[in-house]
Amino acid sequence: MCRACAARAASRDLRHRSQRQPAPSAAVSRREDVILCILARNRQGDVVKLSSRAYQSLRSGIGTLGAGLAVAAVVGVTLVGCAAPGASGTRISTGGGTGTPPLPVLRREDMLWLERVTFGLNSAGVAEYRRLGRERFLDAQLRADGQALPPAVAAEIAALGVAHADPQRDLAAVNAQYKTLNALADGPDKEQARKTLNEQGNNLAYEAVRRDVLRAVYSPAQLQEQMVWFWLNHFSVFQHKERLRWLVGDYEERAIRPHVFGRFKDLVMATLEHPAMLQYLDNVQNTAGHINENYARELMELHTLGVNGGYSQQDVQNLARVLTGAGVNAGDAPHLKPEWQRLYLRRGAFEFNPARHDFGPKALLGHPITGRGFDEVDAAVTLIVRQPACARFISRQLATYFVADTPPPVLIERMAQTFLHTDGDIAAVLRTMFLAKEFQAALGGKFKDPMRFVVSSVRFAYDGRTINNTRPIINWLNGLGEGSYNHQTPDGYPLTEVNWASSGQMSRRFEIARAIGAGNAGLFDPEDGTAATATGFPQLSNRLYFEAVEPTLAARTRDALTRANSQQEWNTFLLSSPEFGYE
Amino acid sequence: MNKQRRRLLRLGLTAGLAGMAGAAGLAGRLYAAPAGGPRFLLVFLRGGYDSTNLLVPHASSFYYESRPTIAIAKPDPASNTGALALDGDWALAPAVRETVGALYAQRQAAFIPFAGTDDVSRSHFETQDSIEMGQGSAGVHDYRSGFLGRLSETLTGTDAGNGAIAFTDALPLAFEGALTVPNLSLKNVGKPSFDERQAKILRDMYAGHHLEAAVSSGLELRHDVALKMADEMTAANRNAINTKGFELEADRMGRLMRDKYRIGFVDVGGWDTHVGEGAAQGALAGNLASLGKGLQAFSQSLGAEWHDTVVVVVSEFGRTFRENGSHGTDHGHGTVYWVLGGSINGGRIVGAQQRVTQATLFQDRDFPVLNDYRAVLGGLFRSMWGLSPAQSAHVFPNAPVDLKLV
């Protein structure tokens, strides 16, 4: 019996926690490192300690809920306690006999704030917030330094092929393989070669998604992971176009990740120079005399200024001309006239080829741009990102993702001012947003998109314990229609509730809640096919629940939880509840 | 017969409006729609099917010259298994002879060659998306608005507007828009995850919440589907136990649309035949046979409602007229749409046509598009639901063309 639990429980109104709390799960009870605390309440409502005999009976009746309830009935109590599963017991102190004084309980608004800034609550995040307080916690998140992944997860990622991706080398190799393939005569050999190559691409893209998921669930740098998701979605690319399956991992790693809190212009330039973006939006085909406007249009419409951001069709055409010659080359440099050689640029598989560039004079957004090569691109992007329309558009997108489906205009304006004054310092804009009273006022009202729903469920259910298999998570995300690198059109996934709360989505969401709540969902079956490392189901009525979730529950949700017939059902209803579905 | 049926199809809108006046407040809720009223199913063949080996231009020597290894032999009047001559110019692939061919003979099927879109990117994704969005081809697109979504919006308050469903895992772009359209793939219909008690608890948890309607209709749809499909294995009147794949899926779709839904969408993949597509037999023929069986099963499971139903089969583009070096075909342009229904004015090859020669190919490569899909579908929707010009314009920017199919 842990004193901290008892004290905390006793200090609260227990009326709403008097549901038939089921026995701890078999999986939990078998583990020696579990910190198990059983609180009980007698008919008068006092918290009591179960007799050791009753407790032993409970343990022996584990797995059979009826037996546990029967024991509870015999001793005249209702179980109300918590059982923290697995590694959560070893990762954090629950105060269970450790002798450390209980830390102050966080207010509900702190919990909601923390939930929004992260991909969902876990014990480590709560502990860190307690240690640092809100502003220091935020600043640590915005720095994203010294927040290492758990070693097991870091090792898993390091072992992935995608961790060693190199666009130039990989593109050259895959281009050569396709060349060999196309030279083969039709027949089984050709089909086999095609299949092998397809599997290679699929596997690399899958590994990139797997790395995404592992980091989203386990990285202590939670805001960084949310921002990687946000910018990947903002500068969305689709894995099934051209050779993108070989490129998306590197795109995330080198174009997006280093710049998520940096200067917006650097982020735009990093995506602009990445082969994934150049292939995806067809700039590889954009050459002098054969203009392809695709990227130029989206660069202003989707990436910087927004659809009504004050540019004209003429600006689109002129920006396209500015972008001519920016392309991809994984092979040898072209033979160029001497006067073009000094203008030729090559960074990895990115190439600026002056022979394909339109050197004529252009005007963009009312400013003249003299033809001089890739410097034009830098000048054009600088001009674009310094437009007030860009500051507002980016601020609105950030606020739509983090604050509310319709963010308060006054907040957008304040963020936009920060953006303009700091020349697009993303961290500064985020700080303005997260510390705003408008942000505080909007807490609890943002519907979790599939990524946030699935990741927060796994974080909550397994609380730091390392899963072995990310495939179920990726399947859930794909099933809910928000798989990474899977959005065909360049606009990225929508950021608002209306797109994710359809009837089909809601019922599927409940089924995922059931998969997580009622079993291990295959999360502990290693991807190499070796034996599962755990069975059973998670225990969601844990300390984190009582601290962070329970106080937010509406009467209807409490009522639903009391009607659960088993821990599995209870878990399912909790993850399905409106309170868990919003943050 | 057809004239009378057309009138019935048109009257469906009025009857639906009157019947649904009281239920307009239940936006998003499912309900048992009254019998009758037009039904529409869009079947999207993703991958660009080779329409030239479905509707064979058997009078064109250029066809046989262009496809030395994958052409389908000319119809033979003595054969019951070869290509089925539909008229002096066109013949139907033997793979669908018994299914769609039989419907054609009953004037319940028609084909629109030279159909498609003005998008000439020949990109699967771009063309699929632009078709599903169904907006003007130039300028800015609204990626959150599909033409079936806009059709549903136009029909809001009628059983058609409220009875839309996508038989797919994710809501297709075609159905995006202001309304919440339910989606559920019927490929694998397991038991529902929740029994009635659990479903009630979940519903109760959302009572009074603004997601209440979405939650109950989502749970109800799963429950209904499970219930409806429970008798599948024991159905006495059909050879249900032997059906599989798309045939089984389509049979389930038919039963749901018979009882409840008015506008449906399903997609079928596997049509991107760059390599070894085969001729009378082979990969494409196998896919076509499965599709034909499915459409036949769909027509049968609708029962009497088949006479109020129109099915249109589309694909993002046709393929190259000539076979490529791998006994397959590459991405092309114009394609052939299928129109099926119990009371359509079928048994015809419909729409603008031209002779099939090398000179009439588009860019010396593939079929031109003479029948824009927006005009064709717009005309069909206008006839089916009696849409006003403003309503038509909300669905498609193009002026509708009436091909007198209903």
Side-chain angles (χ1 to χ4, degrees):
Chain A
M1 183 66 205
C2 65
R3 281 170 292 129
C5 284
R8 193 173 60 253
S11 71
R12 289 223 186 109
D13 177 3
L14 284 163
R15 192 178 54 225
H16 297 306
R17 274 184 278 135
S18 61
Q19 67 262 10
R20 291 163 290 166
Q21 189 65 35
S25 72
V28 162
S29 66
R30 276 199 298 272
R31 298 179 60 93
E32 288 308 309
D33 61 347
V34 161
I35 294 167
L36 178 68
C37 64
I38 302 287
L39 299 184
R41 186 172 74 94
N42 67 14
R43 291 200 176 95
Q44 285 72 48
D46 302 314
V47 174
V48 298
K49 183 180 176 179
L50 284 179
S51 74
S52 60
R53 208 179 73 182
Y55 178 67
Q56 287 307 318
S57 306
L58 262 177
R59 284 190 66 118
S60 62
I62 270 159
T64 56
L65 178 71
L69 292 177
V71 172
V74 167
V75 299
V77 299
T78 311
L79 303 178
V80 295
C82 61
S88 69
T90 59
R91 284 180 60 83
I92 59 155
S93 164
T94 58
T98 63
T100 50
L103 292 156
V105 173
L106 295 184
R107 294 167 302 173
R108 184 185 166 202
E109 62 170 74
D110 292 314
M111 290 294 189
L112 288 170
W113 188 94
L114 183 59
E115 190 168 18
R116 191 80 70 86
V117 172
T118 64
F119 263 125
L121 296 175
N122 70 1
S123 299
V126 171
E128 186 73 351
Y129 186 94
R130 273 187 181 151
R131 192 170 69 79
L132 296 174
R134 185 175 299 186
E135 277 203 57
R136 283 173 60 212
F137 178 88
L138 177 61
D139 288 334
Q141 288 286 318
L142 289 173
R143 281 194 308 275
D145 52 9
Q147 294 163 317
L149 282 166
V153 177
E156 198 175 334
I157 288 175
L160 297 174
V162 76
H164 314 286
D166 175 335
Q168 169 154 5
R169 184 199 63 204
D170 298 347
L171 269 183
V174 73
N175 288 344
Q177 283 172 282
Y178 268 109
K179 202 172 168 186
T180 311
L181 184 153
N182 288 331
L184 288 176
D186 289 335
D189 287 353
K190 187 170 190 171
E191 277 315 289
Q192 186 55 44
R194 189 186 302 277
K195 204 170 152 224
T196 305
L197 208 45
N198 257 326
E199 278 170 8
Q200 184 194 97
N202 289 343
N203 190 47
L204 268 177
Y206 171 72
E207 286 188 350
V209 178
R210 187 172 163 198
R211 181 171 62 182
D212 264 357
V213 167
L214 285 169
R215 284 169 167 162
V217 174
Y218 293 108
S219 173
Q222 280 282 293
L223 183 55
Q224 181 184 35
E225 296 311 319
Q226 285 212 93
M227 289 305 294
V228 168
W229 189 94
F230 175 85
W231 290 126
L232 263 180
N233 192 56
H234 185 84
F235 297 95
S236 186
V237 297
F238 177 53
Q239 59 171 303
H240 295 294
K241 182 157 176 174
E242 303 201 3
R243 304 281 153 83
L244 260 70
R245 285 173 296 170
W246 283 267
L247 296 171
V248 289
D250 186 77
Y251 179 68
E252 166 173 350
E253 204 64 4
R254 289 190 228 184
I256 302 289
R257 182 168 287 276
H259 303 290
V260 297
F261 296 128
R263 270 208 319 161
F264 182 67
K265 189 204 153 188
D266 297 339
L267 179 59
V268 174
M269 287 303 294
T271 59
L272 187 151
E273 290 188 13
H274 200 281
M277 181 60 81
L278 292 165
Q279 283 196 353
Y280 175 59
L281 287 178
D282 301 326
N283 209 66
V284 287
Q285 275 128 42
N286 182 29
T287 59
H290 298 93
I291 296 297
N292 185 313
E293 292 176 6
N294 198 9
Y295 182 41
R297 179 181 303 282
E298 305 307 6
L299 182 53
M300 291 196 284
E301 175 181 329
L302 299 174
H303 297 170
T304 56
L305 297 176
V307 70
N308 295 310
Y311 58 91
S312 66
Q313 174 59 28
Q314 197 62 41
D315 288 321
V316 171
Q317 286 167 13
N318 284 341
L319 182 58
R321 290 174 59 214
V322 167
L323 289 166
T324 47
V328 177
N329 182 2
D332 298 332
H335 295 290
L336 295 171
K337 294 190 277 189
E339 66 265 35
W340 277 349
Q341 282 175 10
R342 65 183 174 83
L343 293 173
Y344 179 79
L345 279 180
R346 180 75 177 263
R347 286 190 268 272
F350 165 75
E351 173 187 77
F352 175 76
N353 184 348
R356 296 159 67 91
H357 183 67
D358 177 344
F359 280 89
K362 299 131 192 143
L364 182 67
L365 302 168
H367 294 259
I369 293 182
T370 50
R372 59 191 188 276
F374 194 69
D375 278 358
E376 293 171 51
V377 176
D378 197 79
V381 170
T382 302
L383 177 64
I384 291 169
V385 300
R386 286 185 179 159
Q387 301 291 310
C390 179
R392 285 197 196 96
F393 177 63
I394 298 303
S395 298
R396 182 182 303 111
Q397 293 302 98
L398 282 166
T400 305
Y401 183 62
F402 282 108
V403 183
D405 288 0
T406 313
V410 56
L411 176 63
I412 295 172
E413 196 49 42
R414 213 167 331 126
M415 292 165 66
Q417 288 308 317
T418 303
F419 188 103
L420 288 168
H421 292 149
T422 60
D423 201 17
D425 180 336
I426 297 164
V429 176
L430 289 175
R431 205 167 191 283
T432 300
M433 180 177 75
F434 285 126
L435 297 177
K437 62 180 188 301
E438 291 85 358
F439 179 74
Q440 184 72 48
L443 293 176
K446 180 82 184 163
F447 187 73
K448 292 178 181 173
D449 70 351
M451 180 71 180
R452 282 167 160 165
F453 172 73
V454 167
V455 174
S456 67
S457 297
V458 174
R459 279 172 65 82
F460 187 73
Y462 290 103
D463 200 12
R465 180 172 165 194
T466 311
I467 59 170
N468 299 112
N469 196 330
T470 47
R471 206 171 273 280
I473 298 177
I474 293 166
N475 288 344
W476 293 327
L477 291 170
N478 288 335
L480 287 169
E482 206 182 24
S484 295
Y485 315 111
N486 252 356
H487 195 68
Q488 285 183 7
T489 50
D491 54 337
Y493 291 112
L495 303 176
T496 53
E497 168 175 335
V498 64
N499 301 95
W500 301 117
S502 75
S503 60
Q505 288 268 339
M506 291 308 290
S507 57
R508 198 180 275 263
R509 207 171 260 234
F510 298 158
E511 283 156 18
I512 293 167
R514 183 174 177 276
I516 296 173
N520 62 53
L523 294 166
F524 294 93
D525 303 346
E527 302 213 8
D528 61 10
T530 53
T533 57
T535 55
F537 51 88
Q539 169 63 275
L540 269 59
S541 53
N542 51 29
R543 172 181 168 152
L544 192 56
Y545 163 74
F546 282 108
E547 276 189 357
V549 181
E550 196 275 346
T552 70
L553 298 183
R556 287 187 194 284
T557 301
R558 293 172 197 276
D559 179 60
L561 294 176
T562 64
R563 289 154 72 188
N565 276 349
S566 65
Q567 180 67 52
Q568 293 98 312
E569 253 188 48
W570 191 95
N571 293 345
T572 305
F573 293 153
L574 182 69
L575 295 178
S576 302
S577 68
E579 291 83 354
F580 195 83
Y582 286 81
E583 61 178 27
Chain B
M1 165 61 192
N2 276 312
K3 197 179 260 179
Q4 184 187 9
R5 178 52 62 186
R6 276 205 295 285
R7 196 175 305 126
L8 280 178
L9 280 167
R10 281 179 181 153
L11 282 173
L13 176 69
T14 331
L17 272 171
M20 280 316 298
L26 292 174
R29 291 296 305 273
L30 301 176
Y31 57 90
R39 289 162 172 77
F40 177 78
L41 175 72
L42 187 77
V43 180
F44 203 123
L45 307 183
R46 295 199 192 271
Y49 89 103
D50 183 19
S51 55
T52 314
N53 268 8
L54 176 271
L55 191 65
V56 179
H58 67 88
S60 164
S61 57
F62 181 52
Y63 169 78
Y64 292 97
E65 289 157 22
S66 302
R67 297 188 167 212
T69 71
I70 63 166
I72 291 177
K74 283 179 187 289
D76 173 2
S79 163
N80 291 325
T81 54
L84 176 68
L86 301 180
D87 64 17
D89 293 317
W90 304 102
L92 193 61
V96 295
R97 190 184 167 109
E98 304 297 323
T99 52
V100 182
L103 290 170
Y104 189 90
Q106 298 166 60
R107 305 189 67 209
Q108 295 186 0
F111 296 99
I112 311 173
F114 307 104
T117 161
D118 52 0
D119 185 312
V120 291
S121 67
R122 296 192 178 90
S123 146
H124 293 297
F125 305 118
E126 187 175 328
T127 318
Q128 286 175 17
D129 287 348
S130 78
I131 288 176
E132 289 187 64
M133 288 189 279
Q135 300 163 22
S137 49
V140 176
H141 289 129
D142 179 355
Y143 291 119
R144 302 269 178 269
S145 177
F147 73 85
L148 289 178
R150 294 193 298 277
L151 176 65
S152 305
E153 287 160 30
T154 298
L155 299 169
T156 297
T158 71
D159 52 307
N162 294 340
I165 185 167
F167 300 109
T168 51
D169 283 323
L171 194 66
L173 182 50
F175 258 135
E176 293 219 9
L179 294 181
T180 298
V181 173
N183 61 286
L184 181 66
S185 167
L186 300 180
K187 285 192 187 83
N188 302 299
V189 178
K191 287 181 182 163
S193 285
F194 301 103
D195 62 26
E196 284 193 41
R197 180 188 63 84
Q198 293 166 325
K200 181 166 178 359
I201 293 173
L202 287 166
R203 279 199 309 273
D204 288 351
M205 203 153 59
Y206 281 84
H209 194 278
H210 69 272
L211 291 180
E212 179 180 7
V215 165
S216 8
S217 69
L219 290 165
E220 191 182 333
L221 178 56
R222 291 273 160 157
H223 180 78
D224 273 11
V225 166
L227 209 64
K228 259 192 208 320
M229 305 313 156
D231 60 344
E232 209 163 63
M233 301 306 281
T234 54
N237 59 335
R238 299 182 36 76
N239 194 18
I241 203 147
N242 288 327
T243 60
K244 57 182 198 287
F246 184 66
E247 190 177 359
L248 178 59
E249 192 183 346
D251 173 73
R252 291 165 171 163
M253 283 157 40
R255 283 190 276 161
L256 280 183
M257 288 195 72
R258 177 186 66 201
D259 297 341
K260 212 163 197 173
Y261 296 97
R262 294 295 179 268
I263 302 176
F265 175 98
V266 71
D267 47 22
V268 184
W271 304 96
D272 198 13
T273 49
H274 288 281
V275 180
E277 76 171 51
Q281 274 125 35
L284 176 66
N287 270 351
L288 286 171
S290 157
L291 178 66
K293 280 184 193 160
L295 293 171
Q296 189 177 49
F298 179 78
S299 73
Q300 288 165 355
S301 64
L302 271 162
E305 307 304 330
W306 175 239
H307 290 284
D308 273 330
T309 300
V310 177
V311 177
V312 175
V313 180
V314 306
S315 192
E316 65 263 33
F317 43 58
R319 304 189 72 84
T320 49
F321 191 78
R322 300 177 183 91
E323 72 176 71
N324 63 18
S326 315
H327 308 292
T329 46
D330 295 322
H331 299 182
H333 189 45
T335 179
V336 177
Y337 290 173
W338 321 7
V339 182
L340 305 98
S343 301
I344 66 158
N345 185 9
R348 306 184 290 145
I349 311 297
V350 188
Q353 295 181 44
Q354 61 187 29
R355 300 212 66 79
V356 178
T357 65
Q358 180 171 359
T360 57
L361 289 188
F362 178 64
Q363 297 175 350
D364 193 27
R365 178 183 167 97
D366 36 41
F367 275 126
V369 170
L370 308 176
N371 302 291
D372 183 279
Y373 80 103
R374 288 160 293 206
V376 169
L377 289 177
L380 197 58
F381 296 157
R382 186 178 62 179
S383 301
M384 288 178 70
W385 282 288
L387 302 184
S388 71
Q391 288 174 318
S392 279
H394 181 61
V395 181
F396 288 119
N398 304 46
V401 168
D402 188 358
L403 297 177
K404 310 276 188 233
L405 282 159
V406 297

